[in-house]
Amino acid sequence: MAERALPRELIARLIRSLKRRGVDYADVRYERLLHESLVAEQGRVSSISVTESAGIGIRVLSRGSWGFASTPHLTPRHLARAGAQAIELATASSLLNRQPRPLTPVEPVKARYASRVAVDPFDVPLSKKLDYLLWANATLLGPDAVKRATAHMDFYKRRKLFCSTEGAQIEQVVIESGAGLEVVAQRGDEVHLRSFPNSHHGALAQAGFEYVKQLDLVGGAQTAKEEVLQLLRAKPPRAGETTIVLDPTQVVMQLHESCGHPTELDRALGQELSYAGGSFLTPEHLGQLRYGSPRVTIVADATIPHGVGSFGFDDEGVPAQRVELVRRGLFVGYLSSRESAARIRLPASGGAMRAESWSVPPLVRMTNVNLEPGEATLEELCRDIPRGYLLSTNKSWSIDDKRLNFQFTTELGWEITDGRLGAIVKNPLYTGITPAFWGRCTGVGRAEDWRLWGVSNCAKGEPMQLMHVGHGSSYARFDGVTVAPAR
Amino acid sequence: MVGERTLLSTLTALVKRARADAVSVCVHAKTRRVFRFAYEAIHQDLVQEDITVTAKLIRQRRVGVASADSLEPAHLRRTLQAAAAIAAHSPQQKELAALPQRTRIRASGDYVRSTTRLSAAACVASLQRLFQLCKGAGAKLAGSLVTGEDELAVVNSAGVSCYAASTVSGAKLVTMYRNLSGYASGVHRDVTRLDLDGLLKESLRRSLHRQEAVSPPLGNYEVILEPEAVGELVSWLGYTAFGAKSVEERTSCLAGRMGEALFAPEITIYDDGMEAASLRMPFDFEGTPKRRTVLIDRGRATGIVYDTTYGARFGRPSSGHGMPPDEVEGPLPMHLGMAPGRTSLEAMIRSCRRGLLIPRFHYVNGLLNPREALMTGLTREGTFLIERGKLSAPVATLRFTQSLLSAFRRVLGVSTQRRLIADPSQELGCAVMPALHLVAFKFTGRSESSS
């Protein structure tokens, strides 16, 4: 689909009109998203789709209350109506809201940001993408036990124009590419799934088609097929307390659920209570609570190259930042917005306001929440473990409404006996309490094994918004963890 | 609101213009007005207008799908061109189900004007009253209030031309008193019949308790699950077990077990998009009328849901459970119901010597071992210990890890009264569920304070 011109003049006129109506603050965000999705199943292409979505979201702060309205119709009449709706909402809410709603300051800039890509995926011929997809998919097929083989690719191009009554004018173009495989095998009542290179829809990065080529889907397909067949005759893990090593694919989910969500400041302030819940990391714990062992340093880094949580500016015009959330085990920072930062008297927003699309307001979201690397190799992490498990690739996830009690299963694990990796185990489950678990982190892998992943389905808010967020990690080791077979 | 005439004439013209062997166009237009509040302030209020147009075009057995978010003629033409371009590059499909033919579709008449006419000021006035009532009780309040409307239209080249409009409203209320929280939610297509005061009372009743929450020992408990908790478990079954794709892939707990008694005879589960108590949807995203499908009949596995593609593969007609053409999960049930029983929630509690009353679960996940319907999740606000037929103490958060194949085998009672369960801020779909009294449910973990 061809590019549409940015509606600069329409937006400029709308900003002038909102100023004239006396709002305390307003921002207008145009977005156009192009998403191409390719799926192959059982050796044939099963779905090719292209989705285009464009529209404008208007956020107004008036008399201490927010109002948000959106429209896909880019005409002066529709924009004026949406602007009036946003003001009407803010005015209505101000009847109830008694407290002022200060925002931390931000310098309004005129700026541009664009993803650095070698090959724009939308310039690659469809036939070339399909050839590669079908090749990877065919590699998964073979034995009768394989009941489903799926390969998929996804490409996104998001163009944004953000303008505010403070004078900001920011244009951003973000391109993302991703791909993955899934194979399901069954024998009798045993059914197992193996994904490559990760579950949760594979791998995704802020990159061009070159990223998909680097994933080596064909080589990964062969490994995934071999492992899923091994799972059919594998034993489950022994139940009990033991040492586990998580590979980077599973640390992704551990970071996401037990660090990313509880450090969202809006959540910690109670603004998600009716839906996703609260957080055990309430503001009185900031700088006080021991979150993990001294080996644990976790950052929210929106500046890291190729992260799907990276950008030039967030959706309220705050520059991308690297914010420490946990420093050597101590809880020291939040993911925050201009409003939530002001609420707890932080000097500035952490730049984490992000919206799924033009049709919804931004919320405090994860950017790239990463576990900083240590120095150990996988061999060194396993070396002094008499009996334990190496666990890989998230299969199920669940955590309580304060983000304390979590339980995960992974697609597979390997026994560790006297420091050496052994047989594959099926249906491994581990569970714990967030600060106690991270407090028993006794090793973090080296930078050479550190890898950044993209997650495309982080859900939050009402209406629910699905956000692309990043997580980077190496291997990590945890002692005294409750492990059981999922049955 | 776009309106039936505009939508159908626009789509019909588009379908007629398409140079293709077959074409189907589906539109979902929705508006949501959402107020979210916590601690005496509204922190988010929005009007969201969205329209999704998805075109599926077939040329020489090659399929292309494209979506857009506008009914502007130029954009619709571009969408169709994109679908045609994709089809031109797609491989030919050997097995290609025909598009649904024109059939008679009942209008659901679920569009209630009072829901769409409720002003922002009226919503805020309702919330003001709730905040005052809550303050009077010494409690704090958080939650959301949602109103909205949906229009769904499907037109295809085989003669399907159908349209449905509906409204929805709903509220979620969390009340907090000292260290305890209560919760209540309600949904109705008519906002004037949404009993906000009643919901607040229900939530306060659970949170205004003198006793601190207790942490009972882990293990098996007799449980009474209120409709929302039942709905969360059954909805996961809907996703992992009742769709034809999961049965074909053998991951469903029904695969290879059709006709077997999987659950107790008290349990009948069905999907019915036209049930009066539900948020009705007369046809699916392919334009096939919704057909009532019994999935579990008095404990026995009897059915799964199909769209045209999986219907053709299984040699069955579509049951009206097709999802939008760009979805890849296969057919799914969107209006699950559990048949009512013969008892009441109060009678269940009276008959329980020692057990747990659970109003809703948090973060249920049914992917642990779908073949065994093994699920995990947590309790949340309003969970109570029952001792000798009475609610004795609120219970701190507990985690369950439980196979529904075993939990739903031993049923002590199903309530006569059922409730409509839906998240009105989300997409279409709902569930109609009773309360369920089970002999045993396994609790495997608890949340502990961080300090």
Side-chain angles (χ1 to χ4, degrees):
Chain A
M1 292 187 184
E3 286 286 344
R4 293 184 203 175
L6 286 174
R8 293 177 204 282
E9 185 46 41
L10 266 180
I11 290 177
R13 223 184 302 166
L14 180 60
I15 289 282
R16 287 197 295 273
S17 146
L18 291 168
K19 273 184 179 172
R20 274 200 304 275
R21 295 193 62 173
V23 300
D24 301 328
Y25 168 84
D27 56 45
V28 177
R29 180 168 39 88
Y30 164 82
E31 281 196 37
R32 177 183 183 251
L33 172 70
L34 206 52
H35 174 203
E36 183 179 60
S37 164
L38 314 175
V39 185
E41 290 178 300
Q42 306 301 107
R44 57 178 184 256
V45 175
S46 61
S47 171
I48 305 174
S49 67
V50 172
T51 304
E52 185 189 21
S53 174
I56 282 182
I58 303 164
R59 196 172 67 135
V60 160
L61 182 63
S62 179
R63 303 187 208 174
S65 293
W66 289 109
F68 177 88
S70 61
T71 177
H73 307 293
L74 303 180
T75 66
R77 182 170 64 88
H78 285 98
L79 288 186
R81 182 169 155 258
Q85 280 177 325
I87 292 172
E88 183 195 355
L89 282 170
T91 307
S93 291
S94 70
L95 299 173
L96 195 149
N97 292 344
R98 302 280 174 224
Q99 301 294 324
R101 209 163 278 258
L103 304 178
T104 54
V106 62
E107 187 191 345
V109 294
K110 290 187 168 66
R112 285 177 183 218
Y113 168 88
S115 304
R116 286 186 204 160
V117 301
V119 183
D120 185 330
F122 292 90
D123 290 342
V124 177
L126 187 58
S127 55
K128 187 176 174 184
K129 296 175 201 168
L130 291 177
D131 282 349
Y132 188 42
L133 192 73
L134 286 166
W135 183 21
N137 189 235
T139 310
L140 292 170
L141 298 169
D144 288 344
V146 172
K147 299 300 175 195
R148 175 167 65 92
T150 307
H152 47 83
M153 289 182 189
D154 287 272
F155 305 102
Y156 301 86
K157 185 183 278 187
R158 196 182 297 269
R159 196 161 185 210
K160 294 184 186 190
L161 176 61
F162 172 91
C163 297
S164 75
T165 50
E166 292 173 339
Q169 199 174 313
I170 298 164
E171 193 180 325
Q172 303 191 76
V173 181
V174 173
I175 293 175
E176 295 169 349
S177 300
L181 308 169
E182 282 179 8
V183 56
V184 176
Q186 178 246 343
R187 191 173 292 139
D189 271 349
E190 288 289 329
V191 182
H192 292 281
L193 162 76
R194 191 74 184 105
S195 310
F196 176 85
N198 202 351
S199 52
H200 299 277
H201 218 62
L204 185 69
Q206 193 174 141
F209 190 67
E210 69 280 2
Y211 177 73
V212 170
K213 298 291 289 288
Q214 287 160 15
L215 291 174
D216 185 19
L217 293 180
V218 176
Q222 191 58 42
T223 309
K225 183 166 69 176
E226 287 165 12
E227 287 174 348
V228 81
L229 294 172
Q230 287 179 55
L231 281 169
L232 293 175
R233 27 175 214 278
K235 290 180 182 169
R238 294 172 300 274
E241 273 197 9
T242 191
T243 298
I244 62 170
V245 177
L246 302 181
D247 85 357
T249 60
Q250 176 57 24
V251 181
V252 165
M253 195 44 78
Q254 189 69 53
L255 283 168
H256 185 91
E257 299 289 12
S258 68
C259 183
H261 280 305
T263 54
E264 292 161 351
L265 185 50
D266 58 345
R267 190 182 172 118
L269 293 171
Q271 295 187 346
E272 286 289 332
L273 279 173
S274 64
Y275 183 62
S279 170
F280 73 100
L281 295 174
T282 42
E284 70 272 19
H285 292 308
L286 189 63
Q288 305 291 323
L289 184 129
R290 184 138 289 281
Y291 175 93
S293 77
R295 295 173 193 272
V296 178
T297 291
I298 300 173
V299 300
D301 189 351
T303 66
I304 191 165
H306 305 302
V308 296
S310 296
F311 41 76
F313 299 83
D314 76 356
D315 287 333
E316 51 182 9
V318 176
Q321 296 164 50
R322 185 180 188 276
V323 177
E324 280 191 321
L325 304 174
V326 176
R327 185 190 307 135
R328 293 189 291 278
L330 191 69
F331 164 50
V332 294
Y334 278 115
L335 294 153
S336 61
S337 62
R338 294 180 69 186
E339 180 195 342
S340 60
R343 281 269 301 272
I344 65 164
R345 296 189 172 82
L346 296 177
S349 162
M353 278 293 259
R354 305 177 69 197
E356 180 195 62
S357 79
W358 54 268
S359 72
V360 284
L363 302 171
V364 176
R365 301 303 302 249
M366 287 174 233
T367 54
N368 304 293
V369 174
N370 308 327
L371 176 63
E372 293 287 83
E375 291 173 350
T377 63
L378 176 60
E379 266 186 350
E380 287 163 350
L381 287 174
C382 294
R383 189 171 290 161
D384 60 345
I385 301 174
R387 293 184 88 169
Y389 297 99
L390 168 66
L391 304 181
S392 175
T393 321
N394 182 259
K395 184 177 173 189
S396 74
W397 60 101
S398 175
I399 189 163
D400 73 32
D401 60 330
K402 298 281 190 294
R403 301 273 150 179
L404 282 165
N405 177 306
F406 64 81
Q407 179 171 299
F408 296 109
T409 60
T410 62
E411 288 183 359
L412 84 172
W414 288 266
E415 286 179 336
I416 302 171
T417 308
D418 296 329
R420 288 173 179 275
L421 291 182
I424 277 182
V425 292
K426 66 180 180 183
N427 299 330
L429 175 157
Y430 73 97
T431 185
I433 301 293
T434 298
F437 177 81
W438 284 103
R440 291 187 199 128
C441 179
T442 50
V444 178
R446 60 184 182 169
E448 290 87 334
D449 296 323
W450 195 93
R451 187 159 172 194
L452 185 62
W453 296 96
V455 174
S456 61
N457 60 350
C458 174
K460 184 178 177 182
E462 293 172 284
M464 185 196 284
Q465 300 187 35
L466 292 178
M467 185 56 65
H468 295 188
V469 303
H471 297 293
S473 176
S474 184
Y475 294 91
R477 175 182 139 153
F478 301 87
D479 290 343
V481 180
T482 301
V483 172
R487 65 182 173 208
Chain B
M1 190 180 190
V2 185
E4 180 172 6
R5 190 178 295 175
T6 306
L7 265 179
L8 291 183
S9 61
T10 306
L11 298 191
T12 303
L14 186 70
V15 166
K16 277 185 183 163
R17 242 195 337 264
R19 275 179 258 152
D21 301 332
V23 63
S24 176
V25 185
C26 163
V27 172
H28 178 204
K30 75 168 184 181
T31 303
R32 292 290 183 273
R33 299 166 204 90
V34 182
F35 288 87
R36 303 181 81 198
F37 43 92
Y39 302 107
E40 299 191 10
I42 294 168
H43 59 82
Q44 181 186 303
D45 43 17
L46 68 95
V47 180
Q48 179 190 29
E49 281 183 24
D50 244 336
I51 186 160
T52 308
V53 183
T54 311
K56 177 180 175 181
L57 184 141
I58 302 168
R59 234 182 234 169
Q60 296 174 332
R61 307 190 73 80
R62 299 171 197 269
V63 181
V65 175
S67 301
D69 56 8
S70 166
L71 282 176
E72 297 293 323
H75 293 163
L76 290 176
R77 277 197 300 277
R78 266 164 30 125
T79 306
L80 219 50
Q81 283 163 6
I86 291 167
H89 288 90
S90 298
Q92 283 195 322
Q93 296 198 11
K94 286 178 190 158
E95 301 162 18
L96 191 60
L99 295 181
Q101 303 283 316
R102 179 171 206 137
T103 46
R104 190 162 173 270
I105 292 176
R106 282 181 291 164
S108 59
D110 286 341
Y111 190 86
V112 182
R113 293 214 176 273
S114 53
T115 301
T116 62
R117 286 179 181 163
L118 189 73
S119 70
C123 286
V124 173
S126 297
L127 295 180
Q128 254 176 330
R129 192 181 68 253
L130 294 182
F131 273 112
Q132 279 162 6
L133 288 171
C134 209
K135 203 173 177 182
K140 292 191 168 73
L141 178 66
S144 62
L145 176 63
V146 179
T147 59
E149 60 196 77
D150 293 276
E151 293 176 275
L152 184 64
V154 182
V155 174
N156 77 18
S157 53
V160 163
S161 174
C162 46
Y163 170 90
S166 58
T167 51
V168 66
S169 67
K172 294 179 195 168
L173 302 179
V174 176
T175 52
M176 292 155 282
Y177 178 70
R178 296 192 309 194
N179 290 326
L180 284 183
S181 298
Y183 171 78
S185 71
V187 184
H188 203 285
R189 64 180 75 99
D190 182 353
V191 73
T192 62
R193 295 180 64 186
L194 194 64
D195 180 11
L196 291 175
D197 290 5
L199 292 176
L200 184 69
K201 274 183 202 160
E202 188 186 331
S203 182
L204 282 171
R205 188 165 48 82
R206 294 172 191 275
S207 56
L208 296 176
H209 208 276
R210 283 182 205 152
Q211 212 170 323
E212 289 290 311
V214 297
S215 278
L218 302 180
N220 280 310
Y221 281 82
E222 191 175 314
V223 289
I224 297 167
L225 307 179
E226 293 192 44
E228 194 159 339
V230 178
E232 283 169 88
L233 300 179
V234 176
S235 296
W236 266 101
L237 272 184
Y239 178 63
T240 61
F242 294 146
K245 188 175 183 184
S246 66
V247 171
E248 186 184 68
E249 291 168 358
R250 315 292 292 180
T251 54
S252 163
C253 64
L254 269 60
R257 294 169 177 162
M258 214 47 85
E260 288 181 24
L262 299 182
F263 300 148
E266 289 88 348
I267 291 190
T268 291
I269 301 172
Y270 58 86
D271 186 86
D272 187 356
M274 286 303 287
E275 181 165 24
S278 74
L279 299 172
R280 288 177 287 207
M281 184 174 159
F283 52 89
D284 69 3
F285 293 92
E286 293 183 305
T288 306
K290 288 273 181 189
R291 183 185 297 176
R292 187 176 196 274
T293 306
V294 179
L295 308 157
I296 303 288
D297 187 6
R298 285 163 291 176
R300 288 187 185 280
T302 52
I304 53 174
V305 299
Y306 304 97
D307 58 9
T308 53
T309 301
Y310 279 88
R313 285 189 201 172
F314 280 74
R316 299 286 180 91
S318 166
S319 55
H321 293 88
M323 302 304 283
D326 52 349
E327 289 283 334
V328 293
E329 298 286 352
L332 291 172
M334 291 175 65
H335 297 80
L336 286 163
M338 185 180 281
R342 293 179 179 170
T343 185
S344 67
L345 181 66
E346 294 73 23
M348 288 177 184
I349 295 169
R350 279 198 303 274
S351 70
C352 178
R353 240 188 114 60
R354 183 176 165 81
L356 297 172
L357 173 69
I358 299 171
R360 68 163 168 165
F361 288 121
H362 173 75
Y363 224 139
V364 177
N365 192 301
L367 298 175
L368 281 74
N369 188 345
R371 186 76 185 132
E372 300 303 315
L374 183 68
M375 299 188 188
T376 191
L378 299 119
T379 62
R380 207 168 158 173
E381 307 95 348
T383 299
F384 274 83
L385 184 67
I386 307 169
E387 290 177 304
R388 293 183 200 87
K390 288 186 176 159
L391 304 186
S392 61
V395 174
T397 303
L398 292 172
R399 170 177 294 287
F400 72 86
T401 307
Q402 176 68 56
S403 158
L404 292 199
L405 289 185
S406 66
F408 281 11
R409 262 185 211 279
R410 296 196 292 161
V411 174
L412 292 167
V414 180
S415 70
T416 312
Q417 200 174 18
R418 298 187 300 163
R419 256 193 58 202
L420 173 62
I421 313 294
D423 193 333
S425 72
Q426 311 299 347
E427 295 301 318
L428 299 163
C430 65
V432 180
M433 292 289 151
L436 201 53
H437 190 171
L438 302 174
V439 172
F441 216 69
K442 190 176 180 185
F443 292 89
T444 56
R446 63 165 60 87
S447 293
E448 293 164 2
S449 166
S450 59
S451 49

